[in-house]
Structures are given as structure tokens and as C-alpha cells.
Amino acid sequence: MEKVIINGGKTLSGTVDIGGAKNAAVAIIPATLLTRGVCRLENLPDIKDVNIMLGTLKQLGAKVKYINPHTYEIDTTPEVDTEVPDELAKHLRASYYFLGALLGREKCASVAMPGGCDFGVRPIDQHIKGFELLGAKVGFRENAMVEVKAESLLGNQIYLDVVSVGATVNLILAAVLAPGLTTIEQAAKEPHIVDLANFLNLMGAKITGAGTDVIKIHGVKQLKGCTYSIIPDQIEAGTYMVAAAAAGGEVIIRNVIPKHLESITAKLLECGIEVDDDFDDEIHIKSDVRPKRCNVKTLPHPGFPTDMQPQIAVLLSVADGTSIISEGVWDNRFRYVEQLARLGASINVEGKLAVIEGVEHLKGAPIKADDLRAGAAMFIAGLVATGTTEIRGVEHVDRGYEKIVEKLAALGADIKREIVPDPAGSLNEVG
Ligand code: EPZ
């Protein structure tokens, strides 16, 4: 187990490079099963979640060849198992993408009910409804295994009752090889949905409308291998934008798609931060005054991302005035507030609303990362707080941020990692 120690109060300056998108990578890795051929995936982030997905693919029988830390060649020609073992599935919510991918390829799959960051109830009813509409039977076996099976699949019209990233991905995966036309209505529009569709189209799929709320999939007979580079990570980029805004200084965030960051840019501008996004693949942040208050409502894309909610809360904790955050995606995503309170933040949570009275300073203290994005927020809090902040539970953060300690140190943060001889509290829940 490790902890991170930050001596806060230092401004940030320099350039930080953003890696490939975690949530695109964890959908595209299982999607390689839809061909019997070789796919070369580039710009994969070198993070725990990606390694678990690649490990699962290997365990199922695919050949996974390391080329460099961000590039792998995946050969899915061999026969593959259709059961994803519980030890792998429980680490990663995205393991349920093997349901859609294996259903598409082999017409059957079983995966243990996925774990995930604890944001309240995380149902998969929309995935199940969609699989059934495509012709599959869905059952639950012992040990919480979900089993999907079909004699054959056939395209159909699927209306999602909630906008779900996971259900949209799973249904695209299940439908690309199903004869006929599948229409997904009220589909999620996140950049990683578009990236998955672009990857599959390069393999020969016929998917249109990705990035809008109606996706149409004309089933094709087979897909071929391809070489594909994953898009930059919207949330990693947003995290460094908010870190620079909160800690102060001048930072260039490189290898990004500014269009994907518009909702974050808009909120930072409202807070009085200077943001220049008039570049093809960079965003420049300059912050030298106390941020102004603003209200934030999280929504599915193109709304403000729920995965940036804890990070912006840190900025608003030290803003001038009272801000309200309204969580529009998850039932329970304010658990981290307790940790920020230890640093002196003044936040009241009422259901899915948090009212933040900005304070002038946060003060360093021992805190913990409860999950991936909450953990990223604790790093930002440590940068902002005066004195020393010690953060435990950093293994959650390593799931989604490559070399975060090194990247922040290169921007001038006083930050280091230390091993803690404490076996309790190790990684058990991820999302
Ligand atoms: C994805 O989770 C992301 N994970 C999450 O990011 C992100 O918070 C979330 O989308 C929302 O943007 C990955 O992409 C791997 P959903 P997912 O299905 O797919 C309800 C991170 O930090 N719902 O879009 O699990 C659900 O309860 C992670 O990188 C149903 O009711 O989220 C929630 O309220 C954490 N029935 C809402 O929809 C269903 O069948 C959105 O969930 C499915 C979902």
C-alpha cells in the first residue's frame, strides 16, 4: 500500500501530456473479440484498468503482445472461453463489456456481476433489456454470474430508459454482427462512444449516429483487424485543467481534444480562470486570482461530466462565495466531502445537492481517496492546502491516471509517493 504526500501552496507551471482515454480503452479492448484477426491498439493509457482488461482478454484465450507501454497487438484468431472469471470481473466494472463482445462473437457469455466505485445503486437493467431485444436470453447463475445466450441475434429497435454509457457500449458490441438494423435511441453521446464506433467502423462495421442520441447499426457478416489509436482522455485533461485553476499558475495541457472539454472550460471561465482553447490539441490555463463561485450540474455528455464533479468541488471550496453542485447522474457521489471537510472545506450535502461556502484556505491533513475521481480531487486539494496533506488509498487513483505523481511534480508540485506497511484498505472496489 502506498500514500502520497503533498506540501501544498505551490503554483503549477509547464506542460503536461495527456494519455489515451481510459473509458474508450476499456470498451475497445473487448471489442477486438468481434474479429478473428489482429488489432494493433495504440495510445492505450498505461494504467491498472487497462492492464486488467488486457489480462482478461489473454485469460480468455486471445494472444496479447506487448509492443511498448502504450501499444499492444491483440490476436483474437484462437478459440476463446466465454466465461470471465469472478476474480477479474470484480476488479473492474467495464468487465461487463465482455458480455456484449462475447455475445456478438460466440452468441454466449457469462460474467460475474461487475463491481465498481460506490456511487449508490448501479443497475444493468438497460443492458439486459437490450440484449433480450436482440434475441438473447439473460439469466443469473450462482455466484452472481450473469449469463447471456442466443440461438441467433437479430437487429431491433432499442429505447434506453436512462442515458447509459455502459448499456450503449454493450449494445453496440452485441449488435455489430447481428443481421438487420439495430437502432439505439436515447444513446449516450460521450467521446468514448464515438471512439468505439470509429474503431468498429475501421474494422468494417456499419455504425452511424455515434455522438448523437440515435445510433444505427447495420449488422455485417464479419469484421477485420486494424490499427487504431485511442482518443485522449477527457477526464485526465479536465483534472489537470482544474488542478492548474485551483493551485494557480500557468499550465499547458497537451494532446487533448478541446471540443471534448468545452463544458469544463465554460465552468472555469465562469470562475474567472483564463482558459485559451483556440488550439488543435492544447488548452492553456492561467490562474492568478481567487476563483469566483459558480453552480455546476452534472449531466450526460455534452453536459458537465460527473467524473469531474469531485475535482471541481475542490476549486469551489476555495472560491469567493457560495456554489451549488447538483449531481445529475449518480445517486451518491458526495462521499469525498467528508475528506475535504478535514482540510477545512465547508460543504453541506442534501441528497444530490452540495452547497459549498468557499473558504479562503484549506489546511493540510491526513485524508483518503475513496474512489478514482474522489482520489484525483484529494490530490488537487493537497496542492491547494497549506502545509502537508497525506493521501491514502492512492491505488484507486492509479487505476485511471498514468504517472500522476510524476506529472504533477514536473509541473512544480512538491509531491512524493511512499510505501506504507499497512495491508488493510487495499483495492477492492473499482469502476
Ligand atoms: C460510465 O459508467 C463510466 N465508466 C463512469 O466513469 C461514468 O461515471 C459514467 O459512465 C457516467 O458518465 C466507464 O465508462 C467504464 P452509466 P457506467 O451506465 O457505464 C443508470 C470513471 O470514473 N443506469 O452511464 O457504469 C446508472 O445507475 C467511471 O471513469 C441504469 O439505471 O454509467 C446511472 O445513474 C466511474 N440502468 C446512470 O444510468 C442501467 O442498466 C448512468 O450510468 C445502466 C445505468
Side-chain angles (χ1 to χ4, degrees):
M1 192 183 151
E2 291 175 335
K3 67 179 174 184
V4 160
I5 300 164
I6 303 177
N7 290 309
K10 303 213 161 30
T11 57
L12 301 181
S13 72
T15 300
V16 60
D17 285 315
I18 300 305
K22 169 180 86 81
N23 289 344
V26 297
I28 286 173
I29 291 167
T32 59
L33 284 168
L34 290 164
T35 179
R36 285 172 165 80
V38 180
C39 292
R40 181 184 167 100
L41 298 183
E42 299 173 350
N43 203 33
L44 286 166
D46 185 12
I47 52 174
K48 221 176 236 170
D49 278 16
V50 163
N51 293 332
I52 294 173
M53 290 304 274
L54 290 169
T56 305
L57 205 51
K58 205 166 164 182
Q59 178 134 349
L60 290 175
K63 289 187 187 147
V64 177
K65 185 171 163 199
Y66 170 93
I67 307 292
N68 64 50
H70 302 119
T71 305
Y72 285 81
E73 258 175 27
I74 298 167
D75 183 355
T76 51
T77 318
E79 286 306 303
V80 294
D81 284 345
T82 57
E83 181 165 325
V84 175
D86 185 31
E87 320 83 80
L88 291 167
K90 77 177 177 204
H91 284 300
L92 186 60
R93 190 159 185 83
S95 55
Y96 63 14
Y97 293 154
F98 285 105
L99 281 175
L102 288 166
L103 180 63
R105 174 182 167 123
E106 300 287 342
K107 308 287 171 289
C108 70
S110 35
V111 178
M113 271 293 275
C117 291
D118 182 7
F119 308 142
V121 189
R122 296 187 73 171
I124 59 163
D125 56 304
Q126 299 304 305
H127 306 233
I128 293 172
K129 179 175 93 172
F131 290 148
E132 287 176 343
L133 282 166
L134 293 173
K137 287 206 167 25
V138 183
F140 292 89
R141 289 192 351 225
E142 72 287 359
N143 303 330
M145 290 296 270
V146 186
E147 193 171 58
V148 289
K149 253 188 194 160
E151 292 283 315
S152 59
L153 295 171
L154 188 62
N156 204 344
Q157 188 168 356
I158 303 166
Y159 174 81
L160 296 180
D161 299 323
V162 287
V163 180
S164 160
V165 170
T168 305
V169 168
N170 244 336
L171 298 175
I172 292 174
L173 295 173
V176 276
L177 296 174
L181 172 66
T182 297
T183 308
I184 306 173
E185 291 176 26
Q186 264 233 102
K189 297 182 280 216
E190 270 64 8
H192 28 289
I193 302 285
V194 180
D195 209 36
L196 171 67
N198 287 342
F199 169 67
L200 290 167
N201 282 340
L202 197 60
M203 293 168 88
K206 287 199 175 141
I207 304 171
T208 55
T212 76
D213 40 27
V214 182
I215 297 178
K216 293 195 171 176
I217 304 158
H218 289 270
V220 294
K221 284 216 167 79
Q222 61 180 31
L223 298 177
K224 58 184 188 316
C226 69
T227 295
Y228 192 76
S229 180
I230 309 283
I231 50 163
D233 196 302
Q234 174 201 29
I235 306 300
E236 188 193 16
T239 300
Y240 285 101
M241 287 168 73
V242 173
E250 276 191 67
V251 174
I252 296 172
I253 295 144
R254 201 161 57 182
N255 299 340
V256 301
I257 299 177
K259 175 94 189 136
H260 293 168
L261 299 165
E262 279 174 350
S263 60
I264 302 161
T265 298
K267 286 293 146 189
L268 293 185
L269 289 171
E270 251 182 85
C271 289
I273 310 297
E274 287 180 43
V275 184
D276 187 354
D277 65 353
D278 202 9
F279 303 93
D280 287 343
D281 60 357
E282 288 180 6
I283 293 237
H284 296 198
I285 303 284
K286 186 172 174 199
S287 165
D288 53 11
V289 288
R290 186 174 178 197
K292 295 186 212 152
R293 45 84 48 206
C294 81
N295 295 337
V296 175
K297 181 163 176 60
T298 69
L299 288 168
H301 192 78
F304 188 90
T306 175
D307 293 344
M308 283 300 302
Q309 188 254 93
Q311 300 90 313
I312 197 107
V314 177
L315 179 75
L316 299 177
S317 295
V318 291
D320 188 6
T322 304
S323 308
I324 297 175
I325 296 185
S326 158
E327 172 57 43
V329 178
W330 297 109
D331 286 340
N332 180 7
R333 206 171 191 176
F334 288 121
R335 280 201 309 158
Y336 65 87
V337 160
E338 205 181 307
Q339 303 300 317
L340 288 185
R342 293 168 69 93
L343 304 180
S346 170
I347 307 178
N348 272 313
V349 176
E350 280 283 338
K352 291 165 89 171
L353 284 187
V355 180
I356 305 178
E357 305 280 351
V359 294
E360 292 217 12
H361 300 288
L362 298 179
K363 200 162 171 298
I367 50 176
K368 67 181 167 74
D370 285 319
D371 62 56
L372 168 59
R373 307 302 174 189
M378 295 309 120
F379 276 55
I380 299 175
L383 298 174
V384 172
T386 54
T388 304
T389 299
E390 279 192 20
I391 306 167
R392 298 206 178 209
V394 289
E395 61 276 10
H396 291 293
V397 181
D398 292 334
R399 285 186 34 226
Y401 292 87
E402 183 176 339
K403 293 196 166 62
I404 183 168
V405 169
E406 292 81 351
K407 287 184 183 184
L408 287 171
L411 292 175
D414 182 346
I415 181 169
K416 64 177 179 191
R417 222 178 244 272
E418 269 183 13
I419 306 276
V420 193
D422 176 4
S426 63
L427 182 68
N428 49 23
E429 286 291 290
V430 292

